[in-house]
């Protein structure tokens, strides 16, 4: 039975599927363009000097962003020291004892906090650390990044811990292992590959943050590892170079961007690799 | 996933240990205390953000009043005059442009991934989504400044200029401006909207889809009749999450919006957004009033983002929760 609309409907079907396919291409285009141009414009300037030297003043050739790379690593490490324990702890709390009203409130807060603009968190770190210390510092930047890191990490930790089979936990408890040891050495250990992946992804996101560092860690022309001093970071360096009027600095912005993408890429590659490693977790 | 959840999700009653086992008892208490402290820390973070921002903003709000501050059209740090309206306007316009451009593409992307794509290419599409999400915003800003802006100036804006009977497309094609910021934000919020939409569409029971197909619906009709109505609230939530991200996105907007506090109906005109002015002026602000005014802008941003995110999460939960209840 051929209804008159049948071909029209078949056409609409094909048309809609094609449109959805076009949407995929539309999404793909900027991604490829960004990646390609960062590699193309960044690669020529990238070299050992660029990765290890201090920035050169305008007009002088050479120079690098070694201090910014070190700064990013320092700020992010410090942020991890603050953020990872709290985020993972909160996640375990949600998974193991989070079924009550209080747990529900914590879970919802974590979800909503994941959407708070990072620049607002920068203001918070400014008020909490910069104002009392009366100076910009790596610590202030790290506090901002840690605040950003905790809520999403708590949520992903919760999901990973919930995936651990209940039988493992019951087995340990049945053998008389105290609940806290069960949680730390059985449950968390089983979830470990997943947790490492989640942590690496969180670190990658933190390393890419710019806005909350602008007025917390600020910037620094020189090497610095002291947490109470202003510190350079790759992202802030990209921003400063990009908006500068000098062609050679703009060139360096691309090279910085390539360095940053490589850093984040290694982290997420590592995360993928660990997530897949020998049939634990899933 | 939900099935795995439901088998482990009821928490195991943590035995408060028999009175005899004192050692185990104290270890459990310390551990429980530490976990609860981490949970409380999350709530504390929320309070901390609200309190610190409000406290830093107080001098400015005390001076002009909340309403006076929001409706003030002038921003002049030299004379200590602070009004938020141009920034609220810029944020609104760029976010609306971003949403209008991003939602159709993102939802179509999600539909393609969940409903039409051959199963082998699904993980590739997911990877594309993750990659888009993982590029730092300052890199998008760099790309926007040196690729998108020239493209808009030379090709897109002159073409749109033909529609100059609409006030939206009037003025000189500068490249930098609210249109550039809106387009860039659209690219950046695309993965957010797409991934939440995917999550929502995946919860549509396959019986609904199969029922439609069995009645003779084409694949698209099955999506339109069965999947989309079921997930509508969740997709709306996804769009709200995207809007929340667009409002607060700082670096990319700062680098291409033109940074000039004007209120113009044209998308070609330079503007200024709430996060951009904070990013540009905060580190150089010295007077308590100036810092306060910037923090007050941050407070507005925080409150709006909070409302959007709460609404979005509730909507997404309504759909995904429906799924989890029915499958357990």
């Amino acid at each position: 039975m051929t209804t008159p609309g049948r071909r029209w409907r078949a056409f609409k079907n094909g048309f809609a599927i094609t449109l959805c396919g076009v949407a995929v291409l539309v999404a793909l285009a900027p991604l490829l363009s960004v990646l390609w141009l960062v590699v193309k414009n960044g690669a020529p300037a990238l070299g050992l000097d660029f990765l290890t030297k201090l920035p050169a003043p305008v007009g002088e050739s050479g120079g690098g962003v070694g201090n910014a790379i070190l700064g990013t690593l320092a700020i992010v490490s410090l942020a991890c020291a603050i953020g990872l324990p709290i985020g993972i702890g909160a996640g375990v709390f949600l998974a193991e004892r989070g079924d009550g009203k209080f747990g529900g409130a914590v879970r919802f807060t974590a979800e909503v906090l994941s959407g708070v603009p990072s620049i607002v968190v920068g203001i918070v770190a400014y008020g909490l650390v910069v104002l009392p210390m009366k100076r910009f510092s790596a610590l202030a930047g790290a506090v901002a990044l840690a605040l950003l890191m905790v809520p999403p990490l708590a949520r992903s930790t919760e999901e990973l811990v919930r995936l651990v089979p209940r039988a493992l936990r019951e087995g340990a408890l049945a053998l008389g292992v105290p609940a806290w040891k069960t949680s730390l050495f059985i449950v968390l250990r089983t979830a470990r590959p997943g947790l490492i992946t989640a942590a690496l992804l969180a670190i990658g996101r933190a390393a890419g943050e710019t806005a909350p560092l602008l007025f917390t860690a600020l910037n620094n022309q020189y090497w610095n590892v002291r947490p109470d001093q202003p510190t350079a970071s790759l992202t802030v360096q990209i921003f400063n170079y990009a908006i500068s009027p000098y062609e050679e600095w703009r060139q360096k912005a691309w090279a910085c961007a390539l360095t940053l993408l490589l850093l984040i890429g290694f982290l997420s590659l590592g995360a993928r690799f660990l997530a897949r490693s020998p049939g634990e977790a899933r | 996933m939900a099935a795995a959840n439901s088998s482990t999700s009821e928490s195991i009653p943590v035995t408060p240990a028999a009175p005899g086992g004192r050692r185990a008892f104290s270890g459990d208490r310390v551990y429980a205390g530490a976990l609860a402290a981490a949970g409380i820390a999350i709530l504390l973070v929320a309070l901390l953000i609200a309190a610190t921002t409000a406290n830093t903003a107080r001098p400015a709000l005390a001076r002009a009043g909340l309403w006076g501050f929001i409706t003030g059209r002038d921003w002049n740090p030299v004379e200590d005059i602070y009004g938020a309206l141009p920034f609220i306007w810029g944020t609104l316009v760029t976010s609306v442009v971003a949403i209008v451009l991003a939602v159709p593409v993102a939802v179509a992307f999600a539909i393609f991934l969940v409903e039409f794509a051959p199963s082998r290419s699904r993980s590739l599409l997911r990877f594309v989504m993750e990659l888009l999400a993982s590029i730092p915003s300052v890199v998008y800003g760099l790309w926007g400044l040196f690729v998108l802006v020239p493209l808009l100036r030379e090709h897109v804006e002159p073409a749109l200029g033909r529609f100059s009977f609409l006030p939206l497309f009037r003025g000189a094609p500068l490249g930098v401006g609210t249109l550039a910021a809106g387009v860039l934000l659209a690219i950046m919020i695309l993965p957010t909207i797409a991934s939440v939409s995917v999550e929502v569409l995946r919860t549509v029971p396959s019986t609904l889809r199969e029922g439609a197909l069995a009645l003779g619906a084409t694949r698209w009709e099955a999506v339109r009749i069965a999947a989309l109505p079921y997930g509508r609230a969740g997709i709306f939530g996804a769009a709200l999450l995207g809007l929340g991200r667009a409002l607060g996105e700082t670096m990319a907007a700062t680098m291409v919006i033109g940074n000039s506090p004007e209120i113009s109906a044209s998308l070609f005109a330079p503007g200024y957004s709430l996060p951009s002015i904070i990013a540009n002026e905060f580190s150089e602000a010295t007077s308590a009033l100036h810092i306060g005014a910037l923090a007050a802008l941050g407070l507005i941003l925080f409150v709006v983002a909070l409302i959007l995110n709460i609404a979005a999460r509730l909507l997404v939960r309504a759909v995904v929760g429906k799924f989890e209840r029915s499958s357990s």
Side-chain angles (χ1 to χ4, degrees), chain B residues 173-193:
Chain B
L174 299 170
V176 292
T178 41
L179 181 64
V183 173
L184 199 54
L185 290 179
I187 296 170
M188 299 182 62
I189 64 174
L190 203 142
T192 309
I193 305 177

Side-chain angles (χ1 to χ4, degrees), chain B residues 144-224:
Chain B
L145 192 55
F146 296 119
V147 181
L148 185 67
V149 164
L151 183 79
L152 289 177
R153 184 174 53 224
E154 262 124 57
H155 302 289
V156 180
E157 288 183 355
L160 286 174
R162 288 193 207 134
F163 301 98
S164 60
F165 53 88
L166 292 172
L168 279 182
F169 304 124
R170 267 178 214 161
L174 299 170
V176 292
T178 41
L179 181 64
V183 173
L184 199 54
L185 290 179
I187 296 170
M188 299 182 62
I189 64 174
L190 203 142
T192 309
I193 305 177
S195 64
V196 180
S197 300
V198 165
E199 191 191 328
V200 166
L201 284 175
R202 278 167 54 99
T203 64
V204 175
S206 48
T207 47
L208 283 184
R209 223 172 267 131
E210 286 157 10
L213 291 171
L215 288 173
T218 61
R219 287 174 80 191
W220 163 245
E221 280 164 348
V223 171
R224 194 171 55 82

Side-chain angles (χ1 to χ4, degrees), chain B residues 95-165:
Chain B
S95 306
V96 168
V97 171
I99 280 293
V100 166
L101 293 175
V103 167
V105 178
V107 174
F109 186 107
I111 292 175
F112 190 83
L113 196 159
V114 177
E115 309 279 346
F116 301 140
S119 52
R120 241 184 306 159
S121 63
R122 268 181 207 161
S123 57
L124 183 73
L125 290 177
R126 268 173 194 285
F127 181 63
V128 166
M129 222 159 55
E130 280 166 26
L131 218 52
L132 265 171
S134 69
I135 294 177
S137 66
V138 70
V139 175
Y140 276 116
L142 180 69
W143 178 83
L145 192 55
F146 296 119
V147 181
L148 185 67
V149 164
L151 183 79
L152 289 177
R153 184 174 53 224
E154 262 124 57
H155 302 289
V156 180
E157 288 183 355
L160 286 174
R162 288 193 207 134
F163 301 98
S164 60
F165 53 88

